Amino acid sequence: MTSVSFHDVAARHPVLVEQVIARLCEACAGLDARQIDWHLMDCGDDPEMPLNEAAAAELMLTGKIKKIIGVKGEIGSHFACVCEKSCKCT
């Protein structure tokens, strides 16, 4: 997990940032996005579960698993995380 500034993460992943803010606003009234601790994450298949077909094929063909970018925002004891795809990132 890489810590980033709000300005950097908003410029690189504006849609993901918007989704994180929306989720955090449900728990924290009057939220300022600059108060949130922002992190970039590499998301992927759940390590406890077998690889799905696409991930297994990617691993066989390239020797690595494709990274999926996730954005996590934390404020106090609350956090929200969203990914570029529908991976399990909660």
Side-chain angles (χ1 to χ4, degrees), residues 20-26 28-36 75:
V20 168
I21 291 171
R23 289 185 183 182
L24 287 174
C25 281
E26 293 174 5
C28 304
L31 183 65
D32 181 351
R34 291 171 291 218
Q35 296 172 316
I36 299 170
I75 186 162

Side-chain angles (χ1 to χ4, degrees), residues 38-73:
W38 293 99
H39 302 277
L40 289 179
M41 302 176 63
D42 293 331
C43 302
D45 281 349
D46 184 343
E48 301 296 321
M49 299 296 291
L51 293 176
N52 65 31
E53 280 185 28
E58 184 79 20
L59 182 60
M60 289 173 46
L61 293 172
T62 66
K64 55 187 172 184
I65 298 175
K66 182 181 176 184
K67 289 183 184 179
I68 300 171
I69 299 298
V71 173
K72 178 181 177 186

